[in-house]
Amino acid sequence: MSDTTEPGPQEPSLDEQIAAYQREFRDLDPQVEQVVSALGRLNRRMNVAYGRQLGALGISNAEWEVLKNLVLAGAPYRLGPGELAKRLGLTPAAMTHRIDRMAGEGLVTRDRDENNRVRVIVELTDEGRTKWLEAMRMATAFEEDLLQDLSDDERGGLGDMLIRLLRRVEHAQPDAGGRLTDLD
């Protein structure tokens, strides 16, 4: 008996997928489907790569999201749990669970606001900032490698086009920035 596992079924190529869709749905625009399917596959594969990088650092994607939002808040890297929950599209209970776990890992602290003892403040620790910086270094190397075959002009053009698509989705689905369900 072998200890190696057999790979699962291969995903069809984009061309095979589009041909199957066209066979079953004749109104399909193959150019639109190629763009949308390629974006979906790219997003999925990038998420797997980022997840592996974060795992190597001993943090989850959920924890990364909290670290990122604390950094985005700017020095001194503090936010209330309610604001964090809102930014991440989480319920207060899910946010509390996440903060508890991260505080136990030394990534954040949770203390009462000195100016308002009812209010709680979540703050990034030195360890949390170190993890965030290392994740950024790893992601930057991955992203540079990903885009290495594109010229500066192509990168700029691609960025502009993707932002136009993002704006269209945000306009049509203004509530789509949050999560449909908690991921914890």
Side-chain angles (χ1 to χ4, degrees):
M1 187 181 273
S2 172
D3 287 338
T4 60
T5 57
E6 293 293 319
Q10 289 289 62
E11 184 175 35
S13 72
L14 283 179
D15 289 340
E16 292 169 334
Q17 178 180 323
I18 292 166
Y21 285 0
Q22 283 183 296
R23 181 184 67 236
E24 301 298 326
F25 183 68
R26 298 206 185 277
D27 293 339
L28 182 82
D29 182 331
Q31 286 181 316
V32 170
E33 189 59 35
Q34 182 183 39
V35 169
V36 172
S37 293
L39 284 171
R41 286 186 186 197
L42 178 61
N43 181 59
R44 192 170 63 246
R45 285 164 173 79
M46 288 176 69
N47 284 335
V48 167
Y50 291 135
R52 287 178 179 150
Q53 290 175 343
L54 294 172
L57 294 173
I59 60 175
S60 68
N61 186 55
E63 291 168 330
W64 160 256
E65 291 292 331
V66 173
L67 298 177
K68 177 180 76 173
N69 275 279
L70 289 169
V71 169
L72 289 174
Y77 313 115
R78 296 177 180 167
L79 287 171
E83 179 62 24
L84 273 169
K86 183 178 175 184
R87 288 178 180 213
L88 296 173
L90 297 174
T91 63
M95 191 74 252
T96 298
H97 175 71
R98 193 173 295 182
I99 293 166
D100 287 347
R101 191 174 63 233
M102 293 179 72
E105 295 169 1
L107 301 172
V108 299
T109 60
R110 179 184 42 220
D111 293 307
R112 295 275 174 208
D113 185 342
E114 292 178 11
N115 298 322
N116 178 351
R117 300 298 295 162
V118 174
R119 186 169 186 252
V120 172
I121 298 292
V122 178
E123 185 173 346
L124 188 65
T125 63
D126 289 342
E127 175 69 14
R129 182 155 170 77
T130 297
K131 294 276 186 177
W132 178 83
L133 286 168
E134 187 57 30
M136 289 299 294
R137 284 184 196 96
M138 293 169 82
T140 298
F142 168 72
E143 292 157 0
E144 285 293 329
D145 184 60
L146 177 69
L147 298 176
Q148 71 179 331
D149 296 332
L150 301 181
S151 70
D152 288 345
D153 287 344
E154 288 172 324
R155 288 178 185 199
L158 179 60
D160 290 344
M161 287 184 277
L162 291 173
I163 288 170
R164 285 188 358 227
L165 294 176
L166 179 60
R167 286 184 180 142
R168 180 169 293 282
V169 170
E170 288 173 343
H171 178 74
Q173 304 286 326
D175 63 340
R179 306 246 195 289
L180 295 177
T181 58
D182 291 340
L183 300 177
D184 280 339

